[in-house]
Amino acid sequence: MRALICQTFDQPETLTVQTQPDPTPSANEVVLEVKAAGVNYPDALMVMGQYQIKPPLPFVPGAEAAGIICAVGEGVKHLKVGQRAVAFTGLGAFASHLKADAATVMPLPDGMDFEVAATLPLAYGTTMHALVDRAQLKAGETLLVLGAAGGVGLAAVMIGKALGARVIAATGSDEKLQLAREHGADEGFNYATEDMRERLKTLTGGKGPDVIFDPVGDKFAEPAFRSIGWGGRYLVIGFAGGEIPKLPLNLPLLKGASLVGVFWGEFAKRDPAANARNLARLAGWVMDGTVKPLVSQRYSLEDGPQAMRDLLERRVTGKVVITP
């Protein structure tokens, strides 16, 4: 097998493609021939040693992949050789073959594209958990999505609409705003050129959004939270903008609002049944066209470091994949 290897915690450009022995499954494991692997912000942070989890070196980055099962270990009942499947493993996906605990692998519906499937577990799984479980977003509520053209941001736009919300997209360019509109956003603004608080006052009639989905953080968090409606829920997804913001704690008090942390990976471990229900509901939306994940670019295994660099520098819209 061929794999992208991290030998030391450093910039993505230090990763190298190496040949390794083909993996063989132990009990309750399967091996996938990888057709596509989703590239995510945490992958790059992990390579640089800046993520909350530091795997032992060396390791193969890549949290999610879709492909064909080529080997099955003893005790695996729900999966078989030749089956199309998607896996969320946290590591190992940037390779031609991926060994995975069978509990992390789900069969794919017939007809689902491998590249689309490879984008679903982390970005869309996070978004489902955030909006359904953590925010309990209701039909008719107003959802503000920051970074609305990125991987999780665009997922939030589409899933928010599927749940019946009015979606306001906030992006850093007019081109990205147009993309969010094309994927269902009802309203939007460019926070690089427009005053966030004034635009939100206008767009919500002074009430503020009910739910704020924030994968960006940095300087945008405080003005967004100051704009939230009474009893609102502010979803802390990540910090793609760079700095981890600090909020004055009188703001949740004055707004009767909640700061809600979203850590999908831990949720999926602690409550796999609830996670499976979310992903099954999501798969139904993808198959009937309610949610249409955008795969904007494909990279070879050798170009995997460039994929992570493009993600870090926010040159990416929707999701990108590595196709080994």
Side-chain angles (χ1 to χ4, degrees):
M1 62 174 276
R2 298 168 64 249
L4 195 61
I5 306 294
C6 178
Q7 299 278 11
T8 184
F9 295 118
D10 205 337
Q11 298 302 309
E13 289 77 10
T14 61
L15 300 177
T16 58
V17 176
Q18 298 179 19
T19 300
Q20 297 185 331
D22 288 341
T24 55
S26 300
N28 300 312
E29 292 181 336
V30 301
V31 175
L32 268 71
E33 179 187 351
V34 176
K35 297 297 184 183
V39 184
N40 297 283
Y41 193 66
D43 299 326
L45 293 181
M46 200 173 291
V47 165
M48 295 187 294
Q50 296 176 10
Y51 196 56
Q52 54 257 42
I53 298 168
K54 283 191 176 183
L57 295 165
F59 69 92
V60 177
E64 58 188 356
I68 298 172
I69 296 173
C70 58
V72 173
E74 184 181 353
V76 177
K77 304 298 184 185
H78 71 294
L79 301 165
K80 60 185 179 181
V81 172
Q83 195 167 22
R84 303 164 78 255
V86 62
F88 178 79
T89 55
L91 291 172
F94 297 164
S96 62
H97 293 77
L98 170 64
K99 184 168 71 170
D101 186 323
T104 69
V105 181
M106 292 180 60
L108 288 178
D110 291 339
M112 183 178 285
D113 180 81
F114 283 123
E115 293 180 359
V116 168
T119 71
L120 296 182
L122 205 155
Y124 287 80
T126 293
T127 303
M128 287 291 290
H129 175 49
L131 296 181
V132 174
D133 303 317
R134 303 296 284 147
Q136 298 182 10
L137 180 68
K138 301 176 183 65
E141 289 190 313
T142 297
L143 168 67
L144 169 65
V145 180
L146 304 184
V152 290
L154 206 57
V157 169
M158 290 185 278
I159 291 172
K161 288 302 296 178
L163 292 169
R166 176 180 180 239
V167 177
I168 299 173
T171 67
S173 75
D174 292 341
E175 293 78 13
K176 290 181 177 180
L177 182 56
Q178 180 58 33
L179 182 69
R181 290 183 184 276
E182 290 170 0
H183 283 78
D186 299 287
E187 307 282 354
F189 59 92
N190 178 346
Y191 48 49
T193 59
E194 301 181 69
D195 184 283
M196 181 184 294
R197 297 194 68 193
E198 290 303 315
R199 287 294 285 138
L200 287 172
K201 282 181 185 178
T202 301
L203 291 171
T204 65
K207 295 180 180 179
D210 300 292
V211 175
I212 298 177
F213 183 96
D214 182 11
V216 180
D218 204 56
K219 63 183 179 182
F220 304 105
E222 185 166 332
F225 198 97
R226 287 182 180 276
S227 301
I228 201 167
W230 175 258
R233 291 87 78 198
Y234 194 104
L235 298 168
V236 181
I237 310 296
F239 313 103
E243 292 294 322
I244 296 176
K246 296 177 176 61
L247 286 176
L249 285 180
N250 65 316
L251 295 179
L253 183 154
L254 293 172
K255 296 282 187 173
S258 303
L259 270 171
V260 185
V262 179
F263 188 0
W264 173 76
E266 190 64 22
F267 157 74
K269 291 178 185 176
R270 289 173 178 264
D271 196 345
N275 181 57
R277 287 194 296 270
N278 281 348
L279 293 179
R281 187 179 186 187
L282 172 64
W285 284 337
V286 173
M287 293 305 292
D288 70 16
T290 300
V291 172
K292 298 178 180 178
L294 172 65
V295 178
S296 60
Q297 197 164 345
R298 297 143 187 87
Y299 298 79
S300 67
L301 200 57
E302 286 76 9
D303 290 334
Q306 185 62 53
M308 283 181 264
R309 177 57 58 197
D310 289 345
L311 204 66
L312 287 168
E313 297 185 1
R314 305 187 69 186
R315 294 194 290 261
V316 167
T317 56
K319 287 279 288 183
V320 299
V321 297
I322 289 174
T323 53

